[in-house]
Amino acid sequence: MSFFGFGQSVEVEILLSDAESRKRAEHKTEDGKKEKYFLFYDGETVSGKVSLALKNPNKRLEHQGIKIEFIGQIEEADAFSPELYYDRGNHHEFVSLVKDLARPGEITQSQAFDFEFTHVEKPYESYTGQNVKLRYFLRATISRRLNDVVKEMDIVVHTLSTYPELNSSIKMEVGIEDCLHIEFEYNKSKYHLKDVIVGKIYFLLVRIKIKHMEIDIIKRETTGTGPNVYHENDTIAKYEIMDGAPVRGESIPIRLFLAGYELTPTMRDINKKFSVRYYLNLVLIDEEERRYFKQQEVVLWRKGDIVRKSMSHQAAIASQRFEGTASLGEVRTPGQLSDNNSRQ
């Protein structure tokens, strides 16, 4: 048994060179819990060492090579079988780097191997959703004849953006002919994750008895392509604007703080696999429990504490990508608040 290296065991640990100083960020895990991971940005170097400790120092460990990989991958669920969320067949790697640490041989004592992945491209933000997961991780592998020894360590990546001063407001007049006309306005169409949504709702005509009004923040996760596109809507927040009947000429202010909610930046066609978009949903409920609503897309983005020079190019691309997302317009359709709205 000893001759073939069977029965040997080794503890593998991945240690980052700047672990003591590097910031950590909370990130949602597969089971909905939050854990803290080391935080990285696009273009940053990932370096450290792989430590191997023999459990039994009197025995040797034969191997066919030792390597470490830096991987960025998207894990998709089958739209018809969500339980296959972590099926290996649905993993798509968009970053795959490898460093060989040792040639085939044997380990006779505990030792460590240094590694460095320089200026690593990390184009997308880490994300854990209902049917898709985007993750970055380091994976150390000791190749064996029968069973490899594998150790993984996840990290979290945040994408930072900057936007030009031009950030148009959203202003729209909607209603039901001869029954209800309202004008609503949001101060911007793009908000950073710690921003405040400021707006107002002005009642031009009120001939139905409205008893309740709220704004919902809705996250829409889209996965799949073609005929197999799957949408997952999640109501992140419900913010009550009014409780009681409004009158003509009344103006209702809106002030919604985003910092208290679990939000991510808007993600568009990430590696042609998935998208995450956010909508402000204005909901009115009358005394007969009929619901009227108007949905408007807004762009969310992550604002860095310090905007670094290395992020400027990425931020410029992001700005161009999202420019003009929240469209403006006027809709006044009988029986509806707009073409995209419903009365139930």
Side-chain angles (χ1 to χ4, degrees), residues 78-105:
D78 188 321
F80 303 101
S81 302
E83 66 273 9
L84 298 179
Y85 184 58
Y86 298 106
D87 177 16
R88 293 284 176 183
N90 278 341
H91 290 190
H92 309 276
E93 294 184 359
F94 57 88
V95 176
S96 182
L97 306 173
V98 61
K99 299 278 188 183
D100 289 321
L101 302 177
R103 295 179 178 180

PDB file of all heavy atoms in Angstrom, residues 78-105:
ATOM      1  N   ASP A  78     -31.092  23.892 -15.203  1.00  0.00           N
ATOM      2  CA  ASP A  78     -31.956  23.485 -16.304  1.00  0.00           C
ATOM      3  C   ASP A  78     -33.327  24.100 -16.040  1.00  0.00           C
ATOM      4  O   ASP A  78     -33.925  23.900 -14.987  1.00  0.00           O
ATOM      5  CB  ASP A  78     -32.062  21.955 -16.328  1.00  0.00           C
ATOM      6  CG  ASP A  78     -32.802  21.448 -17.565  1.00  0.00           C
ATOM      7  OD1 ASP A  78     -33.793  22.103 -17.954  1.00  0.00           O
ATOM      8  OD2 ASP A  78     -32.391  20.417 -18.115  1.00  0.00           O
ATOM      9  N   ALA A  79     -33.830  24.873 -16.996  1.00  0.00           N
ATOM     10  CA  ALA A  79     -35.100  25.579 -16.792  1.00  0.00           C
ATOM     11  C   ALA A  79     -36.242  24.633 -16.463  1.00  0.00           C
ATOM     12  O   ALA A  79     -37.206  25.010 -15.807  1.00  0.00           O
ATOM     13  CB  ALA A  79     -35.449  26.391 -18.045  1.00  0.00           C
ATOM     14  N   PHE A  80     -36.124  23.373 -16.909  1.00  0.00           N
ATOM     15  CA  PHE A  80     -37.198  22.415 -16.662  1.00  0.00           C
ATOM     16  C   PHE A  80     -36.893  21.514 -15.461  1.00  0.00           C
ATOM     17  O   PHE A  80     -37.739  20.757 -15.017  1.00  0.00           O
ATOM     18  CB  PHE A  80     -37.420  21.558 -17.910  1.00  0.00           C
ATOM     19  CG  PHE A  80     -37.734  22.375 -19.128  1.00  0.00           C
ATOM     20  CD1 PHE A  80     -36.765  22.629 -20.078  1.00  0.00           C
ATOM     21  CD2 PHE A  80     -38.996  22.924 -19.299  1.00  0.00           C
ATOM     22  CE1 PHE A  80     -37.046  23.395 -21.189  1.00  0.00           C
ATOM     23  CE2 PHE A  80     -39.285  23.694 -20.404  1.00  0.00           C
ATOM     24  CZ  PHE A  80     -38.318  23.935 -21.357  1.00  0.00           C
ATOM     25  N   SER A  81     -35.665  21.605 -14.965  1.00  0.00           N
ATOM     26  CA  SER A  81     -35.276  20.791 -13.807  1.00  0.00           C
ATOM     27  C   SER A  81     -34.374  21.621 -12.893  1.00  0.00           C
ATOM     28  O   SER A  81     -33.149  21.445 -12.879  1.00  0.00           O
ATOM     29  CB  SER A  81     -34.527  19.531 -14.264  1.00  0.00           C
ATOM     30  OG  SER A  81     -35.320  18.772 -15.147  1.00  0.00           O
ATOM     31  N   PRO A  82     -34.953  22.578 -12.142  1.00  0.00           N
ATOM     32  CA  PRO A  82     -34.152  23.457 -11.296  1.00  0.00           C
ATOM     33  C   PRO A  82     -33.291  22.715 -10.286  1.00  0.00           C
ATOM     34  O   PRO A  82     -32.291  23.234  -9.815  1.00  0.00           O
ATOM     35  CB  PRO A  82     -35.219  24.313 -10.590  1.00  0.00           C
ATOM     36  CG  PRO A  82     -36.411  24.255 -11.477  1.00  0.00           C
ATOM     37  CD  PRO A  82     -36.377  22.891 -12.089  1.00  0.00           C
ATOM     38  N   GLU A  83     -33.672  21.475  -9.967  1.00  0.00           N
ATOM     39  CA  GLU A  83     -32.876  20.724  -8.995  1.00  0.00           C
ATOM     40  C   GLU A  83     -31.491  20.388  -9.544  1.00  0.00           C
ATOM     41  O   GLU A  83     -30.590  20.009  -8.788  1.00  0.00           O
ATOM     42  CB  GLU A  83     -33.608  19.449  -8.574  1.00  0.00           C
ATOM     43  CG  GLU A  83     -33.781  18.407  -9.679  1.00  0.00           C
ATOM     44  CD  GLU A  83     -35.039  18.631 -10.511  1.00  0.00           C
ATOM     45  OE1 GLU A  83     -35.676  19.693 -10.319  1.00  0.00           O
ATOM     46  OE2 GLU A  83     -35.370  17.775 -11.335  1.00  0.00           O
ATOM     47  N   LEU A  84     -31.300  20.530 -10.862  1.00  0.00           N
ATOM     48  CA  LEU A  84     -29.999  20.254 -11.472  1.00  0.00           C
ATOM     49  C   LEU A  84     -29.120  21.502 -11.479  1.00  0.00           C
ATOM     50  O   LEU A  84     -28.221  21.628 -12.292  1.00  0.00           O
ATOM     51  CB  LEU A  84     -30.181  19.758 -12.921  1.00  0.00           C
ATOM     52  CG  LEU A  84     -30.956  18.457 -13.080  1.00  0.00           C
ATOM     53  CD1 LEU A  84     -31.074  18.092 -14.552  1.00  0.00           C
ATOM     54  CD2 LEU A  84     -30.286  17.317 -12.316  1.00  0.00           C
ATOM     55  N   TYR A  85     -29.410  22.413 -10.563  1.00  0.00           N
ATOM     56  CA  TYR A  85     -28.708  23.706 -10.512  1.00  0.00           C
ATOM     57  C   TYR A  85     -27.199  23.545 -10.520  1.00  0.00           C
ATOM     58  O   TYR A  85     -26.482  24.282 -11.173  1.00  0.00           O
ATOM     59  CB  TYR A  85     -29.152  24.441  -9.240  1.00  0.00           C
ATOM     60  CG  TYR A  85     -28.594  25.833  -9.101  1.00  0.00           C
ATOM     61  CD1 TYR A  85     -28.836  26.788 -10.088  1.00  0.00           C
ATOM     62  CD2 TYR A  85     -27.853  26.204  -7.991  1.00  0.00           C
ATOM     63  CE1 TYR A  85     -28.353  28.069  -9.966  1.00  0.00           C
ATOM     64  CE2 TYR A  85     -27.358  27.485  -7.868  1.00  0.00           C
ATOM     65  CZ  TYR A  85     -27.624  28.412  -8.853  1.00  0.00           C
ATOM     66  OH  TYR A  85     -27.141  29.687  -8.728  1.00  0.00           O
ATOM     67  N   TYR A  86     -26.694  22.554  -9.823  1.00  0.00           N
ATOM     68  CA  TYR A  86     -25.256  22.391  -9.723  1.00  0.00           C
ATOM     69  C   TYR A  86     -24.756  21.191 -10.527  1.00  0.00           C
ATOM     70  O   TYR A  86     -23.735  20.612 -10.219  1.00  0.00           O
ATOM     71  CB  TYR A  86     -24.841  22.307  -8.257  1.00  0.00           C
ATOM     72  CG  TYR A  86     -25.205  23.585  -7.544  1.00  0.00           C
ATOM     73  CD1 TYR A  86     -26.277  23.621  -6.660  1.00  0.00           C
ATOM     74  CD2 TYR A  86     -24.517  24.757  -7.804  1.00  0.00           C
ATOM     75  CE1 TYR A  86     -26.645  24.797  -6.046  1.00  0.00           C
ATOM     76  CE2 TYR A  86     -24.879  25.943  -7.195  1.00  0.00           C
ATOM     77  CZ  TYR A  86     -25.931  25.964  -6.314  1.00  0.00           C
ATOM     78  OH  TYR A  86     -26.281  27.145  -5.715  1.00  0.00           O
ATOM     79  N   ASP A  87     -25.507  20.857 -11.547  1.00  0.00           N
ATOM     80  CA  ASP A  87     -25.074  19.802 -12.455  1.00  0.00           C
ATOM     81  C   ASP A  87     -23.802  20.240 -13.171  1.00  0.00           C
ATOM     82  O   ASP A  87     -23.749  21.300 -13.783  1.00  0.00           O
ATOM     83  CB  ASP A  87     -26.185  19.531 -13.476  1.00  0.00           C
ATOM     84  CG  ASP A  87     -25.777  18.486 -14.505  1.00  0.00           C
ATOM     85  OD1 ASP A  87     -24.786  17.771 -14.247  1.00  0.00           O
ATOM     86  OD2 ASP A  87     -26.443  18.391 -15.532  1.00  0.00           O
ATOM     87  N   ARG A  88     -22.760  19.430 -13.102  1.00  0.00           N
ATOM     88  CA  ARG A  88     -21.469  19.797 -13.704  1.00  0.00           C
ATOM     89  C   ARG A  88     -21.584  20.071 -15.195  1.00  0.00           C
ATOM     90  O   ARG A  88     -20.798  20.817 -15.759  1.00  0.00           O
ATOM     91  CB  ARG A  88     -20.446  18.677 -13.458  1.00  0.00           C
ATOM     92  CG  ARG A  88     -20.067  18.503 -11.989  1.00  0.00           C
ATOM     93  CD  ARG A  88     -19.132  19.581 -11.530  1.00  0.00           C
ATOM     94  NE  ARG A  88     -18.833  19.483 -10.116  1.00  0.00           N
ATOM     95  CZ  ARG A  88     -18.067  20.376  -9.478  1.00  0.00           C
ATOM     96  NH1 ARG A  88     -17.564  21.391 -10.123  1.00  0.00           N
ATOM     97  NH2 ARG A  88     -17.830  20.233  -8.192  1.00  0.00           N
ATOM     98  N   GLY A  89     -22.563  19.473 -15.841  1.00  0.00           N
ATOM     99  CA  GLY A  89     -22.693  19.674 -17.273  1.00  0.00           C
ATOM    100  C   GLY A  89     -23.118  21.077 -17.653  1.00  0.00           C
ATOM    101  O   GLY A  89     -23.011  21.476 -18.806  1.00  0.00           O
ATOM    102  N   ASN A  90     -23.636  21.839 -16.690  1.00  0.00           N
ATOM    103  CA  ASN A  90     -24.110  23.189 -16.967  1.00  0.00           C
ATOM    104  C   ASN A  90     -23.123  24.259 -16.517  1.00  0.00           C
ATOM    105  O   ASN A  90     -23.517  25.381 -16.232  1.00  0.00           O
ATOM    106  CB  ASN A  90     -25.462  23.428 -16.276  1.00  0.00           C
ATOM    107  CG  ASN A  90     -26.603  22.868 -17.104  1.00  0.00           C
ATOM    108  OD1 ASN A  90     -26.455  22.628 -18.290  1.00  0.00           O
ATOM    109  ND2 ASN A  90     -27.748  22.657 -16.472  1.00  0.00           N
ATOM    110  N   HIS A  91     -21.855  23.908 -16.408  1.00  0.00           N
ATOM    111  CA  HIS A  91     -20.835  24.868 -16.002  1.00  0.00           C
ATOM    112  C   HIS A  91     -20.116  25.407 -17.239  1.00  0.00           C
ATOM    113  O   HIS A  91     -19.681  24.642 -18.100  1.00  0.00           O
ATOM    114  CB  HIS A  91     -19.826  24.212 -15.057  1.00  0.00           C
ATOM    115  CG  HIS A  91     -20.412  23.902 -13.712  1.00  0.00           C
ATOM    116  ND1 HIS A  91     -19.645  23.490 -12.642  1.00  0.00           N
ATOM    117  CD2 HIS A  91     -21.686  23.943 -13.253  1.00  0.00           C
ATOM    118  CE1 HIS A  91     -20.417  23.300 -11.592  1.00  0.00           C
ATOM    119  NE2 HIS A  91     -21.665  23.555 -11.940  1.00  0.00           N
ATOM    120  N   HIS A  92     -19.994  26.724 -17.300  1.00  0.00           N
ATOM    121  CA  HIS A  92     -19.337  27.370 -18.436  1.00  0.00           C
ATOM    122  C   HIS A  92     -18.221  28.261 -17.899  1.00  0.00           C
ATOM    123  O   HIS A  92     -18.480  29.223 -17.173  1.00  0.00           O
ATOM    124  CB  HIS A  92     -20.343  28.198 -19.231  1.00  0.00           C
ATOM    125  CG  HIS A  92     -21.584  27.446 -19.612  1.00  0.00           C
ATOM    126  ND1 HIS A  92     -21.641  26.641 -20.727  1.00  0.00           N
ATOM    127  CD2 HIS A  92     -22.799  27.351 -19.006  1.00  0.00           C
ATOM    128  CE1 HIS A  92     -22.849  26.097 -20.807  1.00  0.00           C
ATOM    129  NE2 HIS A  92     -23.563  26.520 -19.768  1.00  0.00           N
ATOM    130  N   GLU A  93     -17.000  27.960 -18.257  1.00  0.00           N
ATOM    131  CA  GLU A  93     -15.856  28.740 -17.779  1.00  0.00           C
ATOM    132  C   GLU A  93     -15.574  29.892 -18.737  1.00  0.00           C
ATOM    133  O   GLU A  93     -15.457  29.693 -19.943  1.00  0.00           O
ATOM    134  CB  GLU A  93     -14.616  27.845 -17.652  1.00  0.00           C
ATOM    135  CG  GLU A  93     -14.744  26.779 -16.578  1.00  0.00           C
ATOM    136  CD  GLU A  93     -13.468  25.965 -16.408  1.00  0.00           C
ATOM    137  OE1 GLU A  93     -12.490  26.222 -17.151  1.00  0.00           O
ATOM    138  OE2 GLU A  93     -13.449  25.061 -15.552  1.00  0.00           O
ATOM    139  N   PHE A  94     -15.464  31.105 -18.194  1.00  0.00           N
ATOM    140  CA  PHE A  94     -15.116  32.265 -19.010  1.00  0.00           C
ATOM    141  C   PHE A  94     -13.720  32.786 -18.666  1.00  0.00           C
ATOM    142  O   PHE A  94     -13.168  33.606 -19.400  1.00  0.00           O
ATOM    143  CB  PHE A  94     -16.164  33.378 -18.862  1.00  0.00           C
ATOM    144  CG  PHE A  94     -16.387  33.835 -17.440  1.00  0.00           C
ATOM    145  CD1 PHE A  94     -15.615  34.846 -16.894  1.00  0.00           C
ATOM    146  CD2 PHE A  94     -17.383  33.258 -16.664  1.00  0.00           C
ATOM    147  CE1 PHE A  94     -15.820  35.276 -15.597  1.00  0.00           C
ATOM    148  CE2 PHE A  94     -17.596  33.668 -15.363  1.00  0.00           C
ATOM    149  CZ  PHE A  94     -16.804  34.685 -14.827  1.00  0.00           C
ATOM    150  N   VAL A  95     -13.166  32.334 -17.550  1.00  0.00           N
ATOM    151  CA  VAL A  95     -11.764  32.594 -17.208  1.00  0.00           C
ATOM    152  C   VAL A  95     -11.166  31.274 -16.736  1.00  0.00           C
ATOM    153  O   VAL A  95     -11.738  30.596 -15.880  1.00  0.00           O
ATOM    154  CB  VAL A  95     -11.613  33.657 -16.089  1.00  0.00           C
ATOM    155  CG1 VAL A  95     -10.142  33.812 -15.701  1.00  0.00           C
ATOM    156  CG2 VAL A  95     -12.164  35.007 -16.534  1.00  0.00           C
ATOM    157  N   SER A  96     -10.027  30.888 -17.297  1.00  0.00           N
ATOM    158  CA  SER A  96      -9.377  29.641 -16.889  1.00  0.00           C
ATOM    159  C   SER A  96      -7.865  29.803 -17.022  1.00  0.00           C
ATOM    160  O   SER A  96      -7.325  29.803 -18.125  1.00  0.00           O
ATOM    161  CB  SER A  96      -9.875  28.478 -17.756  1.00  0.00           C
ATOM    162  OG  SER A  96      -9.271  27.266 -17.336  1.00  0.00           O
ATOM    163  N   LEU A  97      -7.199  29.989 -15.895  1.00  0.00           N
ATOM    164  CA  LEU A  97      -5.748  30.134 -15.848  1.00  0.00           C
ATOM    165  C   LEU A  97      -5.168  29.001 -15.012  1.00  0.00           C
ATOM    166  O   LEU A  97      -5.784  28.567 -14.033  1.00  0.00           O
ATOM    167  CB  LEU A  97      -5.359  31.483 -15.233  1.00  0.00           C
ATOM    168  CG  LEU A  97      -5.978  32.736 -15.879  1.00  0.00           C
ATOM    169  CD1 LEU A  97      -5.639  33.977 -15.073  1.00  0.00           C
ATOM    170  CD2 LEU A  97      -5.514  32.886 -17.322  1.00  0.00           C
ATOM    171  N   VAL A  98      -3.981  28.533 -15.364  1.00  0.00           N
ATOM    172  CA  VAL A  98      -3.382  27.416 -14.633  1.00  0.00           C
ATOM    173  C   VAL A  98      -1.891  27.649 -14.448  1.00  0.00           C
ATOM    174  O   VAL A  98      -1.221  28.191 -15.333  1.00  0.00           O
ATOM    175  CB  VAL A  98      -3.650  26.070 -15.354  1.00  0.00           C
ATOM    176  CG1 VAL A  98      -3.051  26.080 -16.749  1.00  0.00           C
ATOM    177  CG2 VAL A  98      -3.135  24.900 -14.555  1.00  0.00           C
ATOM    178  N   LYS A  99      -1.383  27.266 -13.285  1.00  0.00           N
ATOM    179  CA  LYS A  99       0.043  27.298 -12.984  1.00  0.00           C
ATOM    180  C   LYS A  99       0.458  25.919 -12.472  1.00  0.00           C
ATOM    181  O   LYS A  99      -0.149  25.389 -11.529  1.00  0.00           O
ATOM    182  CB  LYS A  99       0.356  28.345 -11.898  1.00  0.00           C
ATOM    183  CG  LYS A  99      -0.002  29.774 -12.268  1.00  0.00           C
ATOM    184  CD  LYS A  99       1.067  30.423 -13.117  1.00  0.00           C
ATOM    185  CE  LYS A  99       0.764  31.908 -13.310  1.00  0.00           C
ATOM    186  NZ  LYS A  99       1.744  32.563 -14.195  1.00  0.00           N
ATOM    187  N   ASP A 100       1.470  25.339 -13.099  1.00  0.00           N
ATOM    188  CA  ASP A 100       2.021  24.078 -12.602  1.00  0.00           C
ATOM    189  C   ASP A 100       2.965  24.367 -11.448  1.00  0.00           C
ATOM    190  O   ASP A 100       3.893  25.182 -11.571  1.00  0.00           O
ATOM    191  CB  ASP A 100       2.770  23.351 -13.723  1.00  0.00           C
ATOM    192  CG  ASP A 100       1.814  22.799 -14.777  1.00  0.00           C
ATOM    193  OD1 ASP A 100       0.739  22.312 -14.382  1.00  0.00           O
ATOM    194  OD2 ASP A 100       2.145  22.880 -15.979  1.00  0.00           O
ATOM    195  N   LEU A 101       2.729  23.708 -10.323  1.00  0.00           N
ATOM    196  CA  LEU A 101       3.537  23.944  -9.129  1.00  0.00           C
ATOM    197  C   LEU A 101       4.617  22.885  -8.932  1.00  0.00           C
ATOM    198  O   LEU A 101       5.669  23.171  -8.359  1.00  0.00           O
ATOM    199  CB  LEU A 101       2.626  23.989  -7.885  1.00  0.00           C
ATOM    200  CG  LEU A 101       1.514  25.045  -7.910  1.00  0.00           C
ATOM    201  CD1 LEU A 101       0.651  24.941  -6.652  1.00  0.00           C
ATOM    202  CD2 LEU A 101       2.087  26.450  -8.033  1.00  0.00           C
ATOM    203  N   ALA A 102       4.364  21.669  -9.372  1.00  0.00           N
ATOM    204  CA  ALA A 102       5.355  20.596  -9.195  1.00  0.00           C
ATOM    205  C   ALA A 102       5.158  19.531 -10.262  1.00  0.00           C
ATOM    206  O   ALA A 102       4.025  19.219 -10.647  1.00  0.00           O
ATOM    207  CB  ALA A 102       5.235  19.975  -7.805  1.00  0.00           C
ATOM    208  N   ARG A 103       6.259  18.985 -10.748  1.00  0.00           N
ATOM    209  CA  ARG A 103       6.209  17.880 -11.696  1.00  0.00           C
ATOM    210  C   ARG A 103       5.891  16.581 -10.963  1.00  0.00           C
ATOM    211  O   ARG A 103       5.975  16.516  -9.734  1.00  0.00           O
ATOM    212  CB  ARG A 103       7.553  17.765 -12.420  1.00  0.00           C
ATOM    213  CG  ARG A 103       7.891  18.962 -13.307  1.00  0.00           C
ATOM    214  CD  ARG A 103       9.251  18.779 -13.973  1.00  0.00           C
ATOM    215  NE  ARG A 103       9.564  19.888 -14.854  1.00  0.00           N
ATOM    216  CZ  ARG A 103      10.686  19.986 -15.554  1.00  0.00           C
ATOM    217  NH1 ARG A 103      11.608  19.014 -15.466  1.00  0.00           N
ATOM    218  NH2 ARG A 103      10.899  21.028 -16.341  1.00  0.00           N
ATOM    219  N   PRO A 104       5.541  15.537 -11.696  1.00  0.00           N
ATOM    220  CA  PRO A 104       5.264  14.252 -11.039  1.00  0.00           C
ATOM    221  C   PRO A 104       6.435  13.810 -10.160  1.00  0.00           C
ATOM    222  O   PRO A 104       7.604  13.999 -10.515  1.00  0.00           O
ATOM    223  CB  PRO A 104       5.062  13.292 -12.225  1.00  0.00           C
ATOM    224  CG  PRO A 104       4.571  14.172 -13.323  1.00  0.00           C
ATOM    225  CD  PRO A 104       5.279  15.482 -13.155  1.00  0.00           C
ATOM    226  N   GLY A 105       6.109  13.278  -9.007  1.00  0.00           N
ATOM    227  CA  GLY A 105       7.136  12.848  -8.064  1.00  0.00           C
ATOM    228  C   GLY A 105       6.490  12.390  -6.776  1.00  0.00           C
ATOM    229  O   GLY A 105       5.405  11.808  -6.787  1.00  0.00           O
TER     230      GLY A 105
END
